[in-house]
Amino acid sequence: PQSAQDQIEALLAEKAARTPAQRKISSQLLYQQRGTFAAFTENIKDPTKRITPLAQTDGHGRVLVDIKGQVARGRIEALGGSVVGTSSLHAATRAWLDLGQLETLAGDTEVQAIRPAFLATTTRANPPKAGEKFHVGSYADRVAAVQAAQRQWREMPHASLLTPGTGPGSVVGAGIAAHGADVARKQYNVDGTGVTVGVLSDSNDGQEDAIASGDLPADTITVPGQDGRPGAGEGTAMMEIVHDLAPGAKLAFASAFNSPESFADNIRTLRFTYHCDVIVDDVIYYFESPYEDDIIAQAVADVVADGAVYVSSAGNEGNYDDGTSGTWEGDFKPAGTLATLPSGYTVHSFGDKVISDRIEVGGGPLTLQWSDPGTLDAPASYNDYDVFVLDHDLRNVAVAATDLQDGAGMPFEYLGYNIPANYRVVIARHPNAETRAIHTAIFGGELGIATEGATFGHNSAAGAMGAAAVDVAEAGGGAFTSGPTTPVELYSSDGPRRVFYNRDNTEITPGKVTFASHGGELRNKPDIAGADGVATTLPSFSGLNPFFGTSAAAPHVGAIAALVKSAVPGASSEQIRTAMASGALDIEAAGYDRDAGAGLAWAPGALKKAGAPGAVFLEEGALTVTPTADVVLPGGGASLRIQLVNTGLAKATAVSGSLAALTPGVTITSATSTYPNVFPNGGTATDPTAYAFTVDPSVPCGSQLAFALT
């Protein structure tokens, strides 16, 4: 419609007329400063249909911005701003600044760009919207099931705490049995000892309580100044999962939320300062490129090259097979002459000359990225694309992102809003721009015309393991099973991921930077799947108990990597990744698939494929009591025969037992016995010489007699 054309043309004309200082400022900040789209929002009476901003402001009305360039703190403070943090390595500053001072600061020669602060999100899945369900029941059903399982566990006898696979704390996650960690710890006598696992998330709120309850080890490390507080405590929930599966591992935490530069720095700190063998995160920054390893992915590559195993959540942006994708990805395709604007800009076709993509389920923010070079540290995009969100009948522009890409920009447009359903996404290309692959996504929402390829960013780094999510309820309280009937979560992001550029902005395959050209490098992502929907110590209102999302899947995968590293200390990160993939339980489509990767992480399979040596693990079997009279009475006695069961993978030889009495008044009269060999995989043996004891007459009738067999 002409009304929309006129509005778009006016926005493009303003873009072309920007001053040199304004060209350094994100269009989102310029529009916010001028109130460009305020009138449209104010005219919408129904609040459920109103677009709302995500931009952060402080009590003084200042906005949170990221400034690129070596800018002195005093300069920002002189303009009434307040510095939040800096990274000299990346020449970046995060600060609160008045919108009216943006152009003044942008006029400084050392300032390269001013953008809205790059925001991040964890990949925790919040309770579903009304009417939405999980594969297994509703959200309320799942909460009730998890709570019931925890009550049942707490009512077990104290002896259950001695069973490998259960933790000593107040909460035990169902992922222990679901991933076979309880079985693997017996078969290989491994619990993560000797391994340090680093966790990156929003914050570690609640960590002290988890330590007090025994759900985290007392020596849990927090990188100084990087606790992320106040926050949701998602890092604490993740560490509890690691501790459940690998209780012998040391834990270290750092926030990933301070800025992308800080996130990259903390990844390296966990490896190079705290010597973490395994690093796990559940964070994605919206700006991260689908088509090039940006600064966070580069940090991942650095620690992997140094020997660390890196696991990251695959994301919660839905998948094509379940019809839940919030992503459209493919090459830009002109929609024809009727979709060419007077300025020469061309509108993209999402289908057969379909010039807009309807938002079916609302969400936000909305991003557009394309296959030009340009990382955060080295922006170099020279093809200009813009994105517009129009109302349901394409008559009015609701919001738009129109940054300049002139060889020194990022191939990225960002709409920092929550956008309800029925708005329409329109993408336009500058008349001088070349065809590129494009990737648009609405976070937490769904698009009417969607594709595969939702997972992106550092979770798709070549050496990283991207983790998809499977509801732990699929295991039915026991172990996961393989096969196509075990699905990933409806919100779990799918792959694959195609990357066109090396980290130095050079093309992987020169001249081929589109899907049609089959250029670049295809990465089979996500790599593997882990459980979610497990219990934590966090309060239920936090959304972290039960803990859903690929945020919960990643630490399950990371904990199994820690078990492998503990059992095979000399294994390289590549060998561990290969062992975990080849030892996984195949689910969804046969073999590798774009939803679950290699399948569900399976601890026994990973340890076997890694060549971990089998161990002896002896447990009590049948107990036979033979009283010297009809019953064991005060002043009497009895003999005991104690069967041993070897649930490990190695034969137990030269086994001797020693019985001790733990109850006063009980005397052991035959304390030792030598057992025959106990074969593995459930083999049994009974002592040929019975143990024996007597009971002093002073022991009250009805007493329970306690013994320990070593």
Side-chain angles (χ1 to χ4, degrees):
Q2 192 62 47
S3 59
Q5 289 192 47
D6 292 345
Q7 292 171 44
I8 292 174
E9 285 295 288
L11 291 168
L12 295 175
E14 179 277 326
K15 172 181 174 178
R18 289 174 192 165
T19 66
Q22 291 169 344
R23 292 167 71 90
K24 297 180 184 179
I25 303 172
S26 165
S27 62
Q28 295 301 286
L29 294 171
L30 293 174
Y31 292 149
Q32 187 178 354
Q33 180 189 55
R34 300 164 185 170
T36 303
F37 301 114
F40 178 88
T41 302
E42 290 167 359
N43 289 332
I44 298 174
K45 305 303 181 186
D46 185 348
T48 65
K49 298 179 180 179
R50 193 174 295 156
I51 295 176
T52 55
L54 297 171
Q56 297 188 43
T57 57
D58 68 1
H60 303 286
R62 301 177 300 185
V63 294
L64 191 63
V65 297
D66 283 343
I67 305 161
K68 194 66 179 174
Q70 296 289 2
V71 183
R73 178 185 293 265
R75 173 59 170 157
I76 294 171
E77 293 174 345
L79 295 173
S82 175
V83 173
V84 174
T86 62
S87 173
S88 56
L89 176 64
H90 299 285
T93 300
R94 176 162 288 191
W96 295 102
L97 197 63
D98 189 276
L99 284 167
Q101 299 291 349
L102 295 179
E103 290 188 42
T104 302
L105 183 61
D108 294 357
T109 55
E110 60 268 26
V111 173
Q112 301 168 21
I114 304 176
R115 308 180 181 97
F118 285 121
L119 299 181
T121 182
T122 65
T123 50
R124 175 184 75 202
N126 292 316
K129 301 177 177 69
E132 291 182 342
K133 287 182 176 286
F134 291 88
H135 284 297
V136 183
S138 67
Y139 181 77
D141 293 336
R142 292 292 297 113
V143 170
V146 171
Q147 292 174 345
Q150 286 305 303
R151 286 195 297 271
Q152 182 181 17
W153 179 79
R154 293 190 189 99
E155 292 166 1
M156 289 180 180
H158 178 73
S160 68
L161 300 180
L162 304 179
T163 304
T166 61
S170 63
V171 170
V172 59
I176 300 169
H179 283 287
D182 52 348
V183 174
R185 285 167 53 183
K186 296 176 183 180
Q187 292 178 337
Y188 296 94
N189 192 23
V190 62
D191 66 357
T193 296
V195 174
T196 302
V197 179
V199 171
L200 295 134
S201 187
D202 68 330
S203 78
N204 67 352
D205 289 80
Q207 177 176 298
E208 293 83 0
D209 291 339
I211 290 173
S213 65
D215 292 283
L216 285 180
D219 61 353
T220 299
I221 299 165
T222 300
V223 176
Q226 299 297 320
D227 59 19
R229 301 186 184 193
E234 200 153 329
T236 299
M238 293 173 67
M239 288 191 289
E240 288 182 16
I241 291 172
V242 175
H243 188 57
D244 271 347
L245 272 69
K250 289 181 66 69
L251 294 170
F253 176 80
S255 176
F257 259 43
N258 294 330
S259 71
E261 293 86 359
S262 174
F263 185 10
D265 291 343
N266 283 343
I267 289 171
R268 294 186 177 95
T269 296
L270 286 175
R271 175 60 183 173
F272 300 120
T273 302
Y274 292 92
H275 311 294
C276 292
D277 304 283
V278 179
I279 301 175
V280 184
D281 84 73
D282 71 333
V283 172
I284 188 74
Y285 273 83
Y286 299 119
F287 83 92
E288 291 187 59
S289 173
Y291 302 126
E292 181 173 5
D293 289 339
D294 215 304
I295 63 169
I296 300 170
Q298 291 172 22
V300 171
D302 291 345
V303 299
V304 169
D306 192 61
V309 176
Y310 200 97
V311 182
S312 181
S313 51
N316 299 343
E317 307 326 311
N319 61 83
Y320 183 75
D321 289 328
D322 283 325
T324 55
S325 174
T327 298
W328 192 98
E329 182 171 73
D331 294 339
F332 182 90
K333 183 180 179 181
T337 56
L338 293 178
T340 300
L341 295 162
S343 58
Y345 275 75
T346 308
V347 174
H348 170 62
S349 171
F350 290 93
D352 185 11
K353 297 183 180 179
V354 180
I355 64 170
S356 70
D357 200 344
R358 186 172 69 88
I359 296 172
E360 284 197 349
V361 176
L366 186 141
T367 60
L368 171 67
Q369 294 164 295
W370 56 97
S371 58
D372 258 357
T375 63
L376 188 59
D377 277 351
S381 178
Y382 50 85
N383 292 297
D384 205 341
Y385 286 79
D386 296 315
V387 61
F388 305 88
V389 172
L390 278 64
D391 56 14
H392 70 281
D393 56 4
L394 297 174
R395 295 189 180 279
N396 295 285
V397 177
V399 287
T402 60
D403 291 358
L404 283 114
Q405 287 81 30
D406 54 5
M410 294 178 64
F412 174 64
E413 294 287 355
Y414 174 77
L415 283 168
Y417 300 91
N418 276 316
I419 307 172
N422 295 320
Y423 283 89
R424 294 181 177 269
V425 181
V426 173
I427 297 170
R429 182 182 72 179
H430 190 281
N432 296 332
E434 299 176 1
T435 298
R436 290 291 183 263
I438 61 175
H439 179 105
T440 190
I442 183 162
F443 287 79
E446 296 176 17
L447 293 175
I449 306 172
T451 68
E452 65 180 20
T455 195
F456 74 101
H458 69 276
N459 61 42
S460 297
M465 297 181 71
V470 174
D471 193 334
V472 77
E474 298 286 346
F480 283 125
T481 56
S482 60
T485 58
T486 301
V488 299
E489 293 278 23
L490 295 171
Y491 44 73
S492 190
S493 292
D494 62 1
R497 171 57 33 227
R498 186 171 288 276
V499 175
F500 296 104
Y501 294 91
N502 299 304
R503 64 188 288 175
D504 62 358
N505 282 356
T506 59
E507 296 169 358
I508 294 174
T509 51
K512 296 183 177 181
V513 292
T514 61
F515 288 103
S517 70
H518 302 288
E521 173 184 286
L522 183 67
R523 297 176 181 173
N524 287 328
K525 299 289 177 176
D527 297 82
I528 201 164
D532 75 341
V534 298
T536 73
T537 64
L538 278 296
S540 57
F541 62 78
S542 69
L544 293 167
N545 189 14
F547 186 9
F548 282 99
T550 54
S551 281
H556 282 101
V557 173
I560 294 173
L563 292 178
V564 176
K565 184 68 174 178
S566 179
V568 191
S572 68
S573 59
E574 178 60 31
Q575 289 170 331
I576 294 173
R577 291 198 305 273
T578 300
M580 291 184 66
S582 58
L585 301 176
D586 189 13
I587 62 170
E588 297 270 354
Y592 171 84
D593 62 78
R594 64 189 177 194
D595 297 315
L600 269 162
W602 181 240
L607 285 157
K608 180 180 179 180
K609 293 293 185 179
V616 170
F617 195 92
L618 298 177
E619 297 186 86
E620 180 186 331
L623 175 67
T624 303
V625 183
T626 305
T628 54
D630 292 337
V631 294
V632 181
L633 294 172
S639 63
L640 298 178
R641 288 191 181 274
I642 305 171
Q643 184 189 59
L644 298 181
V645 182
N646 184 5
T647 52
L649 295 180
K651 181 172 68 174
T653 61
V655 180
S656 61
S658 176
L659 189 71
L662 304 181
T663 302
V666 177
T667 301
I668 304 297
T669 57
S670 179
T672 61
S673 187
T674 300
Y675 286 78
N677 294 340
V678 194
F679 288 90
N681 293 311
T684 63
T686 303
D687 48 323
T689 304
Y691 303 99
F693 66 93
T694 59
V695 183
D696 189 89
S698 64
V699 176
C701 197
S703 297
Q704 184 179 67
L705 308 184
F707 299 87
L709 179 67
T710 302

